[in-house]
Structures are given as structure tokens and as C-alpha cells.
Amino acid sequence: MNGVYSRPSFNNNVIYYTKRSQVGNQQGSKYFDIFAYDLSNEYEYRITKDSRGYNPIFSKMDSSIFYLSTKDGTNNIYKINLNNKSSEKITDFSNSEIISDLQYDQFNNRLYFDITTNHFRDINFIDLSDSTLSVFLGNELYDERQISTSKDYFIYSDDRSGIFNLYYISPDSQGYITNVPGGAFMAS
């Protein structure tokens, strides 16, 4: 697994990750692609080809991998169904949106992601049951980023105080987890 680029996603004995292809395509280009490594037989295999894919997330709900890909300066979310090997584009951003930190929420069947459209980063989600795209956190005065989900609460990082710290939201309360001068950047 030399050259692994992204945080891995797990499905029992299989690890999904991003790395640059060892062999160039017909034009000699070596793009980032989604790979899998089966721990039971110590075998690596390539899932995408020339996808410019990164940040793979495995969904147990339908045995799919969601990932981010960049084309012409804009990021979009893609889905690969591992059962029938079909692939589809989930979002259709076209105005140089920057997407990062894709997360799957198994409790609500949603994909959360950071999105930058102008200056500040916000957290949006796609409800996979009906494909609606919504803003989860989008304050115009500060960044919200890198959400981590659980059944009962959300943890993310924001800089509402001028320094990034961890913040939580639960059904009946919300507030700082950290409030340190040096900041705390990531919830996941």
C-alpha cells in the first residue's frame, strides 16, 4: 500500500483508500484513484481508473463507495455500487466549489461534507433516501468544518471565537468541547 494518500475507510477485512496509480494511462498521466486492500488474502486491487478520486467512504447500507473527484477546478461526489460495479455522479457542482472531508452518517443515511464556495467553509449534507442537498451549518461570519457524526450528536470544528475549537450539537444542547488558545482543529 505504498503511496497511500487519504484516510482509509473500512469494510470488515477490506480497506478502501486513495493513491496515485503506479502506471500511467495512454497519455502517461498518473491520477489518484480509489484502491482496495483485502487483509484476508493480502491483495490490492484498483477500483477506479483515472478518476482523480479521493476520500473514499464505504456505506454498509448498499455496499457502495462514495468518493470525491475533481474536474476543471470543481469537486463533485461520486458513488460506486460494489455489487454491480456501476458508477454515478451524485452532485453536479459547476462553479469551482471545493468539497472536502466526506463523511457517511449511518444513523440518518446521509453524506456530510465540507464545502467552500467563496471564502468560508460550511457543512452540507445529501440525504441518500431522497437525494436532497441541504446546508447543515453555514454561517457567513465563520468557518464550520470536519464533522463527525454519531447517533446522538454531531462534533465539528469552527472558528466563531476567532480560533478553531471543537463544538457539539445534540438534540437538547450545544456548546464548546474545547476552548483553547491554540485551537483544536479536527473532530474526526
Side-chain angles (χ1 to χ4, degrees):
M1 294 192 310
N2 291 335
V4 172
Y5 176 74
S6 68
R7 175 181 60 218
S9 184
F10 298 89
N11 174 24
N12 298 323
N13 286 334
V14 180
I15 303 171
Y16 302 99
Y17 52 91
T18 299
K19 75 175 199 175
R20 191 180 303 269
S21 175
Q22 297 285 333
V23 179
N25 62 14
Q26 290 179 342
Q27 291 76 33
S29 299
K30 296 180 182 179
Y31 295 114
F32 285 106
D33 276 304
I34 308 300
F35 287 78
Y37 186 83
D38 189 327
L39 296 170
S40 59
N41 61 18
E42 299 181 2
Y43 179 72
E44 180 184 64
Y45 53 99
R46 186 174 175 178
I47 296 174
T48 63
K49 184 171 170 96
D50 296 344
S51 70
R52 298 177 180 179
Y54 61 98
N55 196 175
I57 299 295
F58 178 75
S59 164
K60 290 181 184 176
M61 182 75 79
D62 60 358
S63 293
S64 294
I65 294 175
F66 295 92
Y67 68 94
L68 303 176
S69 181
T70 303
K71 183 175 181 183
D72 294 331
T74 298
N75 302 128
N76 276 289
I77 300 172
Y78 291 80
K79 174 186 177 181
I80 298 174
N81 182 317
L82 295 174
N83 293 326
N84 63 19
K85 308 297 186 228
S86 65
S87 181
E88 66 179 305
K89 188 177 179 183
I90 301 296
T91 58
D92 195 26
F93 296 118
S94 59
N95 292 315
S96 301
E97 292 90 342
I98 301 169
I99 299 175
S100 58
D101 200 46
L102 188 62
Q103 298 286 335
Y104 176 67
D105 177 358
Q106 65 182 343
F107 305 104
N108 296 301
N109 196 28
R110 291 177 174 176
L111 287 175
Y112 285 90
F113 56 93
D114 296 355
I115 184 164
T116 306
T117 51
N118 291 312
H119 174 71
F120 291 110
R121 195 184 292 194
D122 297 318
I123 299 173
N124 286 8
F125 70 87
I126 297 173
D127 188 324
L128 295 173
S129 63
D130 62 10
S131 300
T132 56
L133 174 69
S134 301
V135 176
F136 183 69
L137 297 166
N139 192 304
E140 294 181 8
L141 300 177
Y142 53 83
D143 269 11
E144 305 95 356
R145 59 177 67 191
Q146 297 166 319
I147 195 165
S148 182
T149 63
S150 77
K151 187 175 182 180
D152 299 319
Y153 57 87
F154 301 94
I155 298 173
Y156 62 96
S157 180
D158 78 27
D159 67 344
R160 70 181 67 197
S161 68
I163 298 173
F164 280 100
N165 274 285
L166 298 180
Y167 203 81
Y168 76 95
I169 299 174
S170 70
D172 56 356
S173 65
Q174 62 181 353
Y176 283 107
I177 295 173
T178 63
N179 194 5
V180 293
F185 287 95
M186 291 191 230
S188 48

